[in-house]
Amino acid sequence: MSIENISQAKVADGWHKQYSHHSATLNCNMRFAIFLPPNASKENPVPVLYWLSGLTCTDENFMQKANAFKAAAEQGIAIVAPDTSPRGENVPNDESYDMGQGAGFYLNATQAPWNDHYHMYDYIVTELPALIEAYFPVTAIKSISGHSMGGHGALTIGIKNSDSYRSISAFSPISNPMQCPWGQKAFSQYLGSDIESWKQYDASELMKEHSIELPILVDQGEADNFLVEQLKPEQLIEAAKVNNTDLELRMQPGYDHSYFFISTFISDHIEFHAAYLNK
């Protein structure tokens, strides 16, 4: 494995750095960004919060708009933000914003033409952490968070790999993708017509099937224009009751789906994760 530094800037007494690398899992070149707090060193490796962004986003959205660095520096936590999907001239794409490049949905596609590249689930769970732990002063202790499509990814990945993470959080997650237009469109193309196979990437369905010991924090804006049709947090609440999942879902009056919302509450999420990462 090799990585190439694209950019770097000092921030909050730490460093924000952007890298590219070839992904064997995704069969293309990928980009990610990492924030290293000031206390991170070879002698003092730090835990990592993985952030998964939403539809149309890249690694830059969270890193440039979320205002997370000061809180992460204070808590001594690294943040890793991967891209949201495979990209490149040879990677299949779609004209619509909610399919193809920028819309990988953090799953392993089984259907052509997507299955040669769209294995974001394996990339996030296995390849990317191995790369980060090999090249940077971090430990294998990690938590996961995300927004919208990335909130869906954080929940499903965290639930299915609960022994690999300390905590899970999400902003405005697609909570029940099997029952919303975004999820139905993506799942039918990436996974095919076998609806039973869709359940492995639906947080509400997974919560019903798994007894999850990890703490989960979710923030949802009440003024989110995607709330009713696409996000369906009420399904997540009902699913959490089945196995008494430790879920705190906070409805935030007046807030929408944007990074203004995320930047307002990101410090809460970093403090939430720090309580478990720094144990």
Side-chain angles (χ1 to χ4, degrees):
M1 294 186 294
S2 63
I3 61 175
E4 179 185 356
N5 182 229
I6 300 170
S7 68
Q8 63 181 34
K10 191 170 184 179
V11 56
D13 288 328
W15 287 93
H16 168 270
K17 300 185 178 185
Q18 203 173 35
Y19 291 87
S20 66
H21 74 102
H22 179 77
S23 167
T25 302
L26 303 176
N27 193 25
C28 66
N29 290 330
M30 287 295 286
R31 193 176 72 190
F32 67 87
I34 184 169
F35 170 72
L36 292 168
N39 66 318
S41 67
K42 185 184 251 186
E43 296 73 28
N44 183 50
V46 298
V48 184
L49 174 63
Y50 285 83
W51 172 271
L52 308 183
S53 289
L55 287 167
T56 75
C57 292
T58 68
D59 63 288
E60 293 182 339
N61 294 75
F62 177 81
M63 292 303 206
Q64 294 182 8
K65 297 178 180 179
N67 195 28
F69 299 136
K70 187 172 184 293
E74 290 172 350
Q75 298 291 344
I77 294 171
I79 301 175
V80 171
D83 203 346
T84 54
S85 72
R87 297 181 196 267
E89 292 183 5
N90 297 321
V91 176
N93 200 10
D94 191 274
E95 292 182 357
S96 59
Y97 76 96
D98 53 357
M99 271 299 300
Q101 297 183 32
F105 272 83
Y106 304 100
L107 49 73
N108 289 336
T110 60
Q111 305 299 303
W114 314 103
N115 55 338
D116 283 343
H117 297 276
Y118 284 74
H119 296 150
M120 285 298 294
Y121 178 89
D122 283 348
Y123 178 71
I124 299 299
V125 171
T126 305
E127 185 179 17
L128 183 62
L131 190 74
I132 298 300
E133 291 162 24
Y135 279 94
F136 299 99
V138 301
T139 68
I141 297 171
K142 56 187 180 287
S143 292
I144 193 164
S145 185
H147 171 233
S148 194
M149 177 185 74
H152 138 77
L155 289 169
T156 57
I157 288 171
I159 291 169
K160 292 174 69 174
N161 301 275
S162 59
D163 57 340
S164 296
Y165 299 94
R166 293 285 181 89
S167 49
I168 306 168
S169 77
F171 288 84
S172 318
I174 305 174
S175 299
N176 193 189
M178 292 179 65
Q179 302 300 328
C180 78
W182 279 341
Q184 290 167 349
K185 178 178 180 179
F187 286 4
S188 63
Q189 292 202 42
Y190 291 140
L191 302 174
S193 58
D194 180 10
I195 293 177
E196 196 66 24
S197 71
W198 298 6
K199 291 182 178 180
Q200 63 184 309
Y201 299 112
D202 187 305
S204 293
E205 294 295 329
L206 289 170
M207 276 191 185
K208 295 174 188 176
E209 296 176 8
H210 295 263
S211 180
I212 309 146
E213 296 184 2
L214 295 185
I216 303 173
L217 172 64
V218 175
D219 270 315
Q220 172 64 61
E222 290 185 355
D224 192 320
N225 57 319
F226 301 115
L227 177 60
V228 175
E229 183 180 31
Q230 303 284 11
L231 305 181
K232 303 185 181 297
E234 69 280 358
Q235 300 287 50
L236 207 60
I237 294 171
E238 290 305 310
K241 294 176 182 177
V242 175
N243 288 303
N244 296 314
T245 301
D246 183 9
L247 169 71
E248 180 182 6
L249 193 150
R250 309 189 305 187
M251 299 299 297
Q252 304 290 4
Y255 286 93
D256 60 15
H257 200 70
S258 72
Y259 269 83
F260 294 113
F261 170 47
I262 295 170
S263 66
T264 302
F265 297 101
I266 191 61
S267 292
D268 289 358
H269 284 241
I270 289 172
E271 290 175 12
F272 164 77
H273 290 297
Y276 302 97
L277 289 170
N278 290 328
K279 275 187 177 179

